[in-house]
Amino acid sequence: MSWLGLKGRRVLVTGAAGGIGRAIAEGFAAQGAILALFDRDAEGLERTRATLPGTTEAIPLDLSDSDAIAPAVEAAASRIGPPDILVNVAAMSLPRSLATLTAEQFTLQMGVNTTAALLTAQAFRRLRDPARPGAITNVSSIAAAHAVPNGAAYSSSKAALSMLTRQLAVEWGPEGIRCNLLNPA
Ligand SMILES: NC(=O)c1ccc[n+]([C@@H]2O[C@H](COP(=O)([O-])OP(=O)(O)OC[C@H]3O[C@@H](n4cnc5c(N)ncnc54)[C@H](OP(=O)(O)O)[C@@H]3O)[C@@H](O)[C@H]2O)c1
């Protein structure tokens, strides 16, 4: 029984090859949701897909390639239908001291952890059925509010993701897309 009302809901999850993303995908699948999963780890993604009940599509995607994001979400929508829910879980961390952190390393982490969430959200909004309720959940971190040595790029990207999510809630809430943040410790 789908006690959360998720049966038949169409759900996109990034970072679903392992860890929290895989657990979230398992939770949705157990409730009867229809899933499209994204990750750069194609083998891990396929392992997740193969173990889930119901309809699950696996779509390899490197979120550092911003031009690839909209086409991947479009591919998901063409396979499972207009998405109802988006969960941005994927993230990367390259610990570096501030003395040695390069512009390329900083930009890469901002791209994967923050910009990609904006681009998946924009594609989700464009492709969803506005007659159905929508929801976006972004997975940030307590690092968004706590500085740790060598964590400048990761923490900055998560702080930006947290504020991006608040902005999404303000701008898209009124049109029927609930936007929320998870901050794992
Ligand atoms: N676990 C924690 O204790 C914790 C604490 C606070 C916040 N969080 C947040 O929770 C989320 C999940 O964490 P997790 O521990 O489950 O992480 P994880 O096990 O490393 O899973 C993240 C997934 O994202 C993928 N990924 C990384 N870069 C990508 C890219 N450029 N394109 C597509 N996929 C990419 C990873 O692939 P690869 O394996 O190939 O890198 C991995 O499959 C993240 O947003 C993380 O920041 C986790």
Side-chain angles (χ1 to χ4, degrees):
M1 186 174 113
S2 180
W3 51 274
L4 289 173
L6 293 170
K7 189 170 175 53
R9 300 269 275 159
R10 297 182 284 258
V11 182
L12 313 179
V13 184
T14 74
I20 292 171
R22 178 177 176 143
I24 287 173
E26 289 170 348
F28 275 113
Q31 293 298 315
I34 300 164
L35 290 157
L37 309 178
F38 306 90
D39 204 289
R40 69 177 174 183
D41 174 1
E43 289 181 10
L45 199 58
E46 178 53 27
R47 276 196 296 277
T48 300
R49 191 205 62 75
T51 59
L52 296 184
T55 303
T56 303
E57 297 285 339
I59 301 176
L61 170 66
D62 185 341
L63 291 160
S64 68
D65 181 358
S66 56
D67 291 338
I69 292 175
V73 177
E74 286 159 11
S78 73
R79 293 193 211 172
I80 68 169
D84 300 305
I85 296 170
L86 166 66
V87 189
N88 282 307
V89 185
M92 65 174 299
S93 176
L94 292 174
R96 296 286 188 279
S97 74
L98 278 170
T100 62
L101 180 64
T102 66
E104 289 74 17
Q105 291 162 349
F106 189 84
T107 304
L108 174 62
Q109 288 170 87
M110 291 298 293
V112 172
N113 299 355
T114 311
T115 311
L118 170 64
L119 298 177
T120 56
Q122 289 174 331
F124 166 83
R125 176 177 177 267
R126 184 165 49 79
L127 295 164
R128 82 184 191 96
D129 177 352
R132 291 162 64 110
I136 297 173
T137 298
N138 290 332
V139 179
S140 182
S141 167
I142 60 164
H146 296 279
V148 294
N150 304 322
Y154 179 77
S155 292
S156 299
S157 71
K158 291 298 191 179
L161 179 64
S162 298
M163 185 48 76
L164 172 66
T165 309
R166 292 182 175 92
Q167 286 289 146
L168 289 168
V170 166
E171 294 191 24
W172 294 357
E175 61 186 69
I177 306 176
R178 285 181 300 106
C179 301
N180 287 287
L181 198 58
L182 285 182
N183 286 323

